[in-house]
Amino acid sequence: MRTYCGELNKEHIDQTVEIFGWTNRRRDHGGVIFLDVRDKRGIVQVVINPDNKNFTLAETIRNEFVLKISGKVIARDDNLINQKLATGEIEIVADTIEILNASKPVPFQIDAVDTSEEVRLKYRFLDLRTNVMQQRMRLRSKVTHFMRDFMEKHDFLDIETPFLTKATPEGARDYLVPSRTYPGEFFALPQSPQLFKQLLMMSGFERYYQIVKCFRDEDLRADRQPEFTQLDVETSFMNEDEIMALMEAMTRGLFKSVIDVDLGDKFPTITYANALDKYGVDRPDMRIPLEIIGIDELLENIEFKVFAEPAKNPNSRVAAMKITGGSNISRKQIDNYTKFVSIYGAKGLAYIKMNEEGPASPILKFLGTEVTQNIINKVDAKTGDIIFFGADKIKIVNEALGNLREKIAKDLDLYTCKWAPIWVVDFPMFDANDDGSLSAIHHPFTAPSVDAKTLESTATTALSRAYDLVINGSEVGGGSIRIHQVAMQQTVLKLLGISDEEAQDKFGFLLNALEYGCPPHGGMAFGLDRLVMIMTGSDSIRDVIAFPKTQTAACLLTNAPASVPNKVLRELGVKISLPEKD
């Protein structure tokens, strides 16, 4: 009967055991062969003495051979105990050895820390054998198990929704699937099950959940993938406070159960407007003790136009951020930070260093002594601090200083705690585009906090009934109360510039369903990949997905995407016209 390698200990001494696994390492010591054999539970050392009948066979064993070994468990000498292994107090003296399968020389040593991501993804089946990936996948499984258990205990029903559906208003980001039976027409892979889960509420199920794959064809970042997994939740007859309380309870229980982290009794709440004003982003990392402070009123009347003009412009702002003890930041590092904020459109990064002999900065001559002192007083700067400034359009200043805040905190290790969840609420309904049109901040099915008539006259300032859960500066979940009345849904689509004809074409089934007794409802979706990334302390969601895509949305393991034969394209009614190469 099989015994797992990692479960062997002193209680097994003098027992004969049978193990299966891979050769993690092989060593020859004076005619004695030592094998570190690895399975899903851990590693154990196997000793093969020269008088073993399988010794010649053992000499052929190399790393990653698949083995079946039986032998007697013995205690290691005290001076040979390996404290780094859970099984380090014992070893197996092999009796019989069977090579179940050989392995070619591997392109990298399993558990090597310096293997490039490109090689790891190309040979993902080997990378997944590493201890760190094994642990991450196990933790991910525990997360989904807890979520399912929580949902079932709270009377939620697991219902699958279609993968082949209709393109959304954001169709440019859809993955399209050509239909063979309807030539020239396409299905779209869902960016979320949003409309189907709302239809389930209209169908009377009241509480739905699903751990589901979603697809989005967009530029990638470390925390995004073209296909991603989310916990999707929808419920009827609950308001936002009730939904947030339930999802908070699940999150709190999840962290405690899976990684033994106590997130506190109640998560704090911040409005969208306050988050942007103080922290520059709508996903504030509350572990960081740095705040962005508006100083427009101090600079409106100075002659220095770089600051004065944004200070007087209602669509711009001048803001400062004090870093306690930051005066020792070098000029080279300031130059690096200046280059960093340029990513977000900032034209520069002004600063004042609070040195022993007084404030120092190239901009002091433009500010004057009084204004400089007023700024120092406003941000409460002391000797040894540094103040950084942003002056531009509101969005540019917020993004530049908000992301600089996070970078400086990481560089200087300014975190005041390990975990900091927070709810962000009171999002605007719409975002105004440069051409005057409106875009939905979340999606077109989010309910506003006002009635339809008021919404029409206050579209640019109206708030939505949406909420995001942020942990350590990452949005791990977002949701809202949905529109459940057809007149309100038509109003929102109209404000988004969607004509009645287009609305019927894209959402006719939803608009029709809303007229048949739709209950008030709302929900939330958690990004499972991002949540597991945070819980494991990984730098990328690619590190917590078994078979991820690269940042260019390619699979190095299978060489996807790939071309298909012309015969297949003809059957689908698809003709490819590639842009000419330079």
Side-chain angles (χ1 to χ4, degrees):
M1 182 177 178
R2 179 185 184 185
T3 304
Y4 286 101
C5 298
E7 293 180 347
L8 291 167
N9 54 50
K10 290 192 295 184
E11 294 181 2
H12 293 88
I13 290 174
D14 292 332
Q15 293 182 23
T16 297
V17 297
E18 184 176 75
I19 62 170
F20 295 79
W22 287 262
T23 309
N24 199 62
R25 278 186 174 81
R26 174 188 181 277
R27 306 180 302 280
D28 286 350
H29 287 176
V32 179
I33 295 175
F34 293 88
L35 301 177
D36 290 341
V37 181
R38 181 190 72 246
D39 64 16
K40 68 176 184 176
R41 301 284 169 80
I43 294 175
V44 69
Q45 179 171 281
V46 176
V47 182
I48 306 165
N49 292 311
D51 58 355
N52 187 293
K53 60 182 179 294
N54 298 123
F55 189 82
T56 301
L57 179 68
E59 287 183 310
T60 68
I61 294 174
R62 295 296 181 267
N63 286 1
E64 300 310 308
F65 276 35
V66 186
L67 308 175
K68 173 185 176 182
I69 297 175
S70 65
K72 186 177 181 180
V73 179
I74 65 170
R76 293 201 199 188
D77 292 339
D78 290 344
N79 61 326
L80 296 177
I81 290 175
N82 186 346
Q83 301 291 349
K84 295 180 180 179
L85 285 180
T87 61
E89 294 180 303
I90 56 93
E91 60 190 9
I92 299 174
V93 178
D95 179 25
T96 63
I97 304 168
E98 183 180 351
I99 297 176
L100 300 178
N101 214 336
S103 171
K104 292 169 60 176
V106 292
F108 61 92
Q109 175 61 45
I110 304 301
D111 286 327
V113 297
D114 57 347
T115 307
S116 71
E117 185 180 54
E118 182 179 0
V119 172
R120 288 175 53 213
L121 294 181
K122 183 177 181 180
Y123 297 94
R124 190 61 162 185
F125 53 91
L126 294 178
D127 187 47
L128 288 172
R129 294 181 189 176
T130 64
N131 182 60
V132 64
M133 289 305 301
Q134 290 272 320
Q135 294 301 318
R136 286 170 180 165
M137 291 299 105
R138 293 184 195 288
L139 186 140
R140 183 182 176 116
S141 179
K142 290 179 181 178
V143 168
T144 56
H145 177 79
F146 181 93
M147 287 176 168
R148 291 186 189 279
D149 191 48
F150 184 93
M151 290 290 110
E152 296 290 341
K153 286 180 179 177
H154 287 81
D155 200 29
F156 284 79
L157 194 62
D158 184 0
I159 303 177
E160 294 180 349
T161 52
F163 275 0
L164 296 177
T165 182
K166 198 170 187 177
T168 64
E170 302 86 5
R173 296 186 296 176
D174 282 333
Y175 277 100
L176 300 179
V177 181
S179 170
R180 182 182 59 82
T181 52
Y182 295 89
E185 297 186 354
F186 295 82
F187 293 105
L189 298 180
Q191 295 187 32
S192 85
Q194 181 62 44
L195 297 184
F196 288 105
K197 67 179 181 178
Q198 289 190 242
L199 290 171
L200 287 171
M201 296 303 100
M202 301 173 202
S203 304
F205 288 104
E206 295 197 19
R207 292 194 174 194
Y208 141 95
Y209 85 96
Q210 184 182 188
I211 295 177
V212 60
K213 278 280 188 183
C214 301
F215 307 86
R216 190 169 297 168
D217 188 8
E218 63 181 354
D219 294 335
L220 305 181
R221 299 198 301 256
D223 60 348
R224 290 191 178 175
Q225 281 278 288
E227 54 177 317
F228 54 95
T229 306
Q230 65 185 39
L231 168 66
D232 207 49
V233 180
E234 199 78 4
T235 181
S236 298
F237 307 114
M238 294 179 73
N239 62 32
E240 49 266 64
D241 292 334
E242 292 167 326
I243 295 173
M244 289 164 64
L246 184 63
M247 295 298 94
E248 181 176 318
M250 188 204 71
T251 305
R252 191 182 298 109
L254 173 67
F255 273 71
K256 185 62 178 176
S257 173
V258 176
I259 59 174
D260 195 26
V261 166
D262 187 353
L263 291 179
D265 293 334
K266 183 169 176 57
F267 299 170
T269 299
I270 189 172
T271 66
Y272 172 88
N274 282 341
L276 290 184
D277 187 57
K278 290 185 176 182
Y279 308 113
V281 294
D282 60 1
R283 40 157 194 82
D285 190 337
M286 303 308 292
R287 299 173 300 168
I288 303 171
L290 306 179
E291 284 193 16
I292 298 168
I293 299 174
I295 54 173
D296 300 275
E297 74 282 1
L298 303 180
L299 300 166
E300 291 175 341
N301 300 316
I302 67 172
E303 294 183 5
F304 189 39
K305 292 184 178 180
V306 172
F307 281 173
E309 290 185 355
K312 289 183 286 189
N313 188 333
N315 297 316
S316 300
R317 76 179 298 199
V318 184
M321 182 171 64
K322 176 194 72 175
I323 291 83
T324 302
S327 66
N328 57 358
I329 294 175
S330 68
R331 181 54 192 264
K332 180 180 179 181
Q333 188 59 59
I334 292 174
D335 290 342
N336 289 336
Y337 288 148
T338 303
K339 185 177 180 181
F340 175 78
V341 297
S342 69
I343 298 172
Y344 304 97
K347 300 179 182 66
L349 183 65
Y351 67 91
I352 296 176
K353 279 191 174 186
M354 300 295 292
N355 296 330
E356 289 286 347
E357 58 274 17
S361 169
I363 66 169
L364 292 185
K365 57 187 177 183
F366 302 111
L367 298 178
T369 303
E370 183 179 355
V371 171
T372 299
Q373 190 58 51
N374 288 339
I375 293 172
I376 292 170
N377 294 340
K378 182 75 179 283
V379 302
D380 193 26
K382 302 289 191 298
T383 299
D385 298 344
I386 189 171
I387 308 168
F388 286 113
F389 299 89
D392 212 309
K393 293 180 179 178
I394 291 174
K395 183 177 180 181
I396 291 175
V397 172
N398 286 346
E399 289 187 353
L401 290 185
N403 285 279
L404 179 64
R405 172 180 178 267
E406 295 175 358
K407 181 169 178 55
I408 289 175
K410 185 174 181 179
D411 290 347
L412 303 183
D413 191 20
L414 299 180
Y415 304 111
T416 59
C417 58
K418 192 168 182 180
W419 299 99
I422 189 168
W423 287 103
V424 182
V425 298
D426 289 346
F427 285 84
M429 267 296 287
F430 304 110
D431 191 15
N433 301 314
D434 292 338
D435 61 1
S437 64
L438 299 176
S439 299
I441 291 284
H442 277 80
H443 53 64
F445 319 107
T446 298
S449 58
V450 296
D451 58 46
K453 184 177 180 180
T454 304
L455 180 65
E456 288 191 84
S457 60
T458 61
T460 57
T461 58
L463 301 180
S464 69
R465 298 176 67 183
Y467 37 86
D468 282 357
L469 178 57
V470 176
I471 300 178
N472 293 358
S474 288
E475 177 204 331
V476 298
S480 68
I481 299 301
R482 322 302 187 188
I483 296 169
H484 71 282
Q485 296 168 325
V486 68
M488 176 65 82
Q489 188 63 76
Q490 290 170 331
T491 298
V492 169
L493 295 177
K494 178 182 176 183
L495 288 169
L496 290 170
I498 299 174
S499 67
D500 291 343
E501 182 180 0
E502 184 182 3
Q504 279 298 321
D505 178 53
K506 292 185 180 295
F507 307 116
F509 63 95
L510 174 69
L511 297 173
N512 183 48
L514 286 171
E515 296 191 276
Y516 285 87
C518 175
H521 61 282
M524 189 164 179
F526 285 84
L528 180 63
D529 311 303
R530 192 177 297 176
L531 193 59
V532 176
M533 179 185 77
I534 292 171
M535 295 175 75
T536 58
S538 304
D539 294 326
S540 165
I541 61 172
R542 293 188 294 277
D543 291 334
V544 297
I545 298 172
F547 300 103
K549 304 295 187 290
T550 65
Q551 282 193 309
T552 57
C555 176
L556 299 181
L557 177 66
T558 63
N559 290 322
S563 60
V564 297
N566 287 331
K567 177 183 176 182
V568 176
L569 295 177
R570 285 194 296 271
E571 288 178 351
L572 295 172
V574 173
K575 184 177 181 180
I576 296 177
S577 178
L578 297 175
E580 293 184 7
K581 295 182 179 180
D582 294 336

